[in-house]
C-alpha cells in the first residue's frame, strides 16, 4: 500500500464521493468539487498584464547592464575569473534531477564521475586522499583546521594551539583558524614580498600546530624557501597547510604534495572554471596526505571493485561538513574542464596564465609601479601610492574610471600590505588584444590623473549609476528605480 500524506489520505478515503479508486489509479476531479466553496476564488486573479515582447525586452535590457566574463575582461586578482566553457553547463545539468537521498546503487554514474574528479585532483596536488564536500574555499580551510584539531587531539598533542599565517594571506585564513579554536599569529613578509624566514623562525615553537601558506602568495610570488619552511614546521611536529585557491599559476608544473604540504584546499570555482561571484556557487575540496586521511569528513566516496560507495564507517572522521555530496554542479564543471584540456592542456593553461600576468606587469610598469617587482606567477599587485601623493588620485578613482572605459576593475586595496593596491590577474583565457586594450585604458587613466585629476576623481561618468556610497549601498540596496 502506498503511503500518502494525511491530507491526501483523507481525500482518498474509500467511499468518499468522487474518489472511488479504480484499479487503474486515482480519478482526477476538478478542485471545485473537492474544496469548500467559501475557499474558492470567484473572479479571475488580477495579475499585471504585459505583452510578452515587453517582458523579454525588460529582462534582456536588465541583463545587458550586467558585466561578467561573458561580456568582457575581468581582471580580479586572487579570484581567477577565467572563461567558463559552455559545455560545462551541459555536463553539470546531466544529474540535476537526481534526488539527493537516492541510495548509492542508483547513482553509480554520478559517483563514478565524482570519484574520477577526486583522482584527477589528487594527481594535480600530489596528495593521497580527498573530500569534495566543502562548499567553498573558506569552508575548505575550516574543514582542514577541524581535521588538524582532530589529528592533534588523537596524537595527544593538546599543547599545539597556534596557527601561523603570513601577513599577505587571504583574510579567510586567520578567520578559519580562529573559528576552529586556534590562536593565530601573523608573520611579516620581507621586502621581496615573501615570508620572512627569520621572522618565521622567531615565532616557531613547540606550540605551533599549523603553518598556513598561500602559494603563489597573494602578491603573485612563489615562496622560494618553501622546502626549508616545511622542514622547520615538521621538525616541531606541526602540519603544513597549502591555500591552493588560485592554483592557476603552478597547475601541471609543481605540486603541493611534493613541496611537503600535509593538506591543501582548492577552489574549483577559480582554478577549474565555473562562473562565480556574488557569493556563489563554489566548491573547496580538501586533499590530504595519508596520515590525515582518517579525519576526512564523511561520507567518503570510495571504489570497491567496480562499485562506488559512500563510506560512512569512519570513526575518526570530523563528520559531515555539508549536506549530501557537496556542490556537485561545480564539481562536474571542474571535471569537464579537466577532461577537455587533459594533462598537457592544464599545464599549458598554467604557463599561459603566468605569461599573460608577466606581459601585463611589464607593460603597466611603464606608468604604474608594481609593489614587489620581479617575476610573478598568475597575478601581480600594482600600487597607485605615488599618484595619490602627487595628484590626490586614489586606487578607488582609477577603478571607477576603468568602468567608463568599459572594463571591470581589478581587485583593489588587497593585499592589505600594499598601499593603494591594484591586484591584477588576467588568466590564461584572454587574448593579447584584450590585455593590450586594458593596459592602454590604464595608461590613459594615469595620464588623466596627471593632467585632469578631477575627471578621474569624479568617475564613473557613463555608467547607469554614478559613484555609489559603498557603505550605504551595501546596507540600503537600491534594486529598482
Ligand atoms: C578566494 C580565496 C579564498 C576563499 O575562497 P572562497 O571560495 O571565496 O571562500 C581563500 N584563499 C585565497 C588565496 C583566495 O583567493
Amino acid at each position: 500500500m502506498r503511503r500518502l500524506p494525511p491530507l491526501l489520505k483523507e481525500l482518498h478515503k474509500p467511499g468518499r464521493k468522487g474518489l472511488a479508486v479504480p484499479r487503474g489509479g486515482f480519478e482526477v476531479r476538478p478542485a471545485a468539487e473537492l474544496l469548500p466553496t467559501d475557499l474558492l476564488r470567484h473572479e479571475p486573479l488580477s495579475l499585471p498584464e504585459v505583452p510578452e515582447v515587453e517582458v523579454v525586452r525588460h529582462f534582456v535590457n536588465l541583463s545587458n547592464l550586467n558585466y561578467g566574463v561573458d561580456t568582457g575582461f575581468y581582471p580580479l586578482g586572487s579570484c581567477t575569473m577565467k572563461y567558463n566553457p559552455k559545455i560545462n553547463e551541459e555536463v553539470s545539468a546531466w544529474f540535476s534531477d537526481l534526488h539527493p537521498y537516492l541510495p548509492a546503487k542508483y547513482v553509480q554514474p554520478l559517483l563514478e564521475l565524482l570519484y574520477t574528479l577526486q583522482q584527477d585532483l589528487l594527481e594535480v596536488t600530489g596528495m593521497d586522499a580527498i573530500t569534495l564536500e566543502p562548499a567553498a574555499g573558506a569552508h575548505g580551510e575550516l574543514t582542514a583546521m577541524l581535521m588538524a584539531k582532530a589529528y592533534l587531539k588523537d596524537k595527544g598533542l593538546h599543547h599545539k594551539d597556534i596557527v601561523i599565517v603570513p601577513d599577505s594571506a587571504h583574510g579567510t585564513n586567520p578567520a578559519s583558524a580562529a573559528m576552529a579554536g586556534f590562536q593565530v599569529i601573523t608573520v611579516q613578509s620581507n621586502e621581496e614580498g615573501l615570508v620572512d624566514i627569520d621572522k618565521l623562525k622567531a615565532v616557531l615553537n613547540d606550540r605551533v600546530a599549523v603553518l598556513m601558506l598561500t602559494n603563489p602568495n597573494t602578491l603573485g610570488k612563489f615562496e622560494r624557501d618553501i622546502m626549508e619552511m616545511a622542514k622547520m614546521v615538521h621538525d616541531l611536529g606541526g602540519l603544513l597547510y597549502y591555500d591552493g585557491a588560485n592554483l592557476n599559476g603552478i597547475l601541471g608544473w609543481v605540486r603541493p604534495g611534493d613541496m611537503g604540504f600535509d593538506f591543501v584546499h582548492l577552489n574549483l570555482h577559480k582554478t577549474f572554471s565555473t562562473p562565480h561571484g556574488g557569493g556563489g556557487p563554489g566548491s573547496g575540496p580538501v586533499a590530504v596526505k595519508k596520515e590525515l586521511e582518517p579525519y576526512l569528513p564523511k561520507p567518503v566516496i570510495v571504489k570497491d571493485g567496480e562499485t562506488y560507495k559512500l563510506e560512512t564507517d569512519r570513526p575518526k572522521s570530523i563528520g559531515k561538513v555539508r549536506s549530501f555530496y557537496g556542490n556537485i554542479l561545480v564539481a562536474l564543471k571542474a571535471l569537464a574542464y579537466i577532461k577537455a584540456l587533459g594533462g598537457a592542456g592544464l599545464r599549458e593553461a598554467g604557463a599561459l596564465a603566468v605569461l599573460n600576468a608577466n606581459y601585463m606587469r611589464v607593460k603597466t610598469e611603464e606608468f604604474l609601479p608594481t609593489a614587489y617587482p620581479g617575476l610573478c606567477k598568475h597575478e601581480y599587485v600594482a600600487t597607485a601610492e605615488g599618484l595619490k601623493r602627487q595628484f590626490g588620485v586614489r586606487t578607488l578613482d582609477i577603478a571607477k574610471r576603468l568602468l567608463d572605459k568599459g572594463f571591470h576593475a581589478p581587485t583593489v586595496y588587497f593585499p592589505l600590505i600594499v598601499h593603494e593596491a591594484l591586484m591584477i590577474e588576467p588568466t590564461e583565457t584572454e587574448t593579447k588584444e584584450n590585455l593590450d586594450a586594458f593596459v592602454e585604458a590604464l595608461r590613459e587613466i594615469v595620464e588623466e590623473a596627471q593632467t585632469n585629476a578631477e575627471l578621474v576623481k569624479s568617475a564613473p561618468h557613463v555608467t547607469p549609476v554614478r559613484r555609489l556610497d559603498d557603505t550605504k549601498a551595501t546596507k540600503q540596496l537600491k534594486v529598482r528605480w
Side-chain angles (χ1 to χ4, degrees):
M1 170 79 187
R2 261 172 59 194
R3 277 212 263 146
L4 294 167
L7 177 66
L8 280 179
K9 240 187 217 159
E10 184 59 28
L11 290 174
H12 292 139
K13 256 190 194 149
R16 195 186 156 97
K17 185 172 166 289
L19 278 170
V21 186
R23 236 172 278 126
F26 299 117
E27 192 188 344
V28 180
R29 306 284 302 207
E33 287 182 26
L34 301 171
L35 297 172
T37 18
D38 58 330
L39 292 181
L40 293 176
R41 180 180 294 285
H42 297 290
E43 269 115 51
L45 191 62
S46 165
L47 291 172
E49 292 194 22
V50 187
E52 179 180 332
V53 65
E54 292 299 323
V55 176
V56 172
R57 282 176 191 159
H58 174 71
F59 285 108
V60 171
N61 285 331
L62 276 186
S63 74
N64 284 344
L65 295 178
N66 273 338
Y67 190 96
V69 273
D70 282 352
T71 51
F73 185 43
Y74 213 127
L76 278 186
S78 201
C79 281
T80 312
M81 302 294 284
K82 64 169 77 179
Y83 172 69
N84 302 286
K86 296 298 162 259
I87 189 156
N88 290 4
E89 302 298 325
E90 208 176 310
V91 171
S92 70
W94 286 346
F95 298 99
S96 57
D97 52 3
L98 279 187
H99 195 284
Y101 278 128
L102 277 173
K105 66 175 172 179
Y106 296 127
V107 290
Q108 286 294 307
L110 172 64
L111 292 180
E112 182 181 352
L113 292 183
L114 296 178
Y115 184 83
T116 306
L117 175 65
Q118 292 186 166
Q119 296 307 109
D120 287 351
L121 296 179
L122 290 176
E123 176 67 31
V124 159
T125 53
M127 308 301 276
D128 300 320
I130 190 167
T131 174
L132 301 178
E133 248 184 58
H139 196 205
E141 295 166 19
L142 177 63
T143 302
M145 290 305 110
L146 293 172
M147 288 171 64
K149 267 259 137 119
Y151 166 85
L152 294 168
K153 192 173 159 212
D154 208 20
K155 297 266 174 284
L157 301 170
H158 300 280
H159 61 288
K160 289 201 171 290
D161 60 350
I162 291 176
V163 170
I164 299 182
V165 184
D167 61 358
S168 63
H170 203 274
T172 49
N173 287 190
S176 302
M179 272 179 82
F182 288 108
Q183 188 187 323
V184 179
I185 291 187
T186 307
V187 57
Q188 269 176 7
S189 306
N190 61 22
E191 62 287 351
E192 282 182 273
L194 303 172
V195 172
D196 191 318
I197 204 96
D198 291 326
K199 295 216 164 92
L200 175 64
K201 272 183 195 152
V203 294
L204 277 182
N205 61 52
D206 192 38
R207 277 178 58 194
V208 171
V210 185
L211 170 63
M212 290 180 97
L213 276 185
T214 304
N215 188 55
N217 67 24
T218 56
L219 296 163
K221 300 268 177 186
F222 195 96
E223 291 289 349
R224 195 189 316 120
D225 301 317
I226 245 167
M227 302 303 266
E228 193 184 342
M229 289 191 257
K231 184 170 178 337
M232 279 160 40
V233 174
H234 282 154
D235 283 349
L236 287 168
L239 296 166
L240 245 91
Y241 182 76
Y242 194 103
D243 180 334
N246 304 278
L247 214 67
N248 243 21
I250 64 157
L251 197 59
W253 293 84
V254 285
R255 311 190 305 171
D258 301 334
M259 294 177 223
F261 285 84
D262 301 294
F263 35 19
V264 49
H265 92 259
L266 304 172
N267 276 26
L268 296 188
H269 50 294
K270 289 181 184 172
T271 308
F272 298 94
S273 78
T274 272
H276 61 279
S283 173
V286 177
V288 300
K289 286 275 174 65
K290 264 256 153 323
E291 78 269 16
L292 286 164
E293 186 175 4
Y295 311 96
L296 283 172
K298 58 183 179 182
V300 179
I301 302 170
V302 294
K303 192 175 179 189
D304 180 6
E306 285 311 300
T307 311
Y308 297 91
K309 287 188 177 155
L310 291 168
E311 200 174 271
T312 50
D313 185 18
R314 297 245 172 176
K316 291 189 177 181
S317 163
I318 59 165
K320 219 166 170 38
V321 296
R322 192 194 180 279
S323 53
F324 308 116
Y325 308 88
N327 199 344
I328 63 161
L329 299 187
V330 181
L332 293 172
K333 284 175 194 179
L335 182 63
Y337 175 80
I338 290 172
K339 291 303 181 200
L341 266 69
L346 291 180
R347 191 172 151 89
E348 192 183 345
L352 281 176
V354 173
L355 178 65
N356 284 355
N358 279 290
Y359 175 76
M360 281 185 76
R361 179 181 60 80
V362 171
K363 285 279 210 180
T364 57
E365 276 171 4
E366 290 168 12
F367 51 85
L368 198 63
T370 300
Y372 292 88
L375 269 184
C376 64
K377 286 286 169 283
H378 58 293
E379 65 190 0
Y380 68 102
V381 183
T383 170
E385 202 180 5
L387 286 178
K388 183 183 167 194
R389 209 179 318 112
Q390 255 191 300
F391 306 101
V393 170
R394 297 174 303 151
T395 283
L396 183 69
D397 305 321
I398 297 173
K400 297 292 182 194
R401 186 67 179 140
L402 272 169
L403 306 181
D404 281 339
K405 311 224 177 235
F407 285 105
H408 195 283
T411 297
V412 294
Y413 296 104
F414 182 76
L416 302 177
I417 53 172
V418 175
H419 296 294
E420 300 298 319
L422 288 112
M423 188 190 207
I424 300 171
E425 179 180 1
T427 82
E428 78 279 10
T429 51
E430 292 298 330
T431 62
K432 179 171 175 296
E433 286 73 17
N434 287 343
L435 304 185
D436 286 338
F438 181 79
V439 170
E440 284 322 302
L442 211 48
R443 188 195 304 275
E444 276 170 30
I445 295 170
V446 171
E447 275 164 21
E448 286 168 359
Q450 292 159 350
T451 53
N452 185 2
E454 254 337 287
L455 180 70
V456 183
K457 284 198 235 175
S458 53
H461 299 278
V462 301
T463 46
V465 285
R466 298 287 303 276
R467 193 174 293 210
L468 298 169
D469 176 331
D470 286 351
T471 315
K472 200 168 161 213
T474 53
K475 293 245 158 67
Q476 294 172 7
L477 273 186
K478 200 170 162 190
V479 288
R480 52 181 297 165
W481 59 88

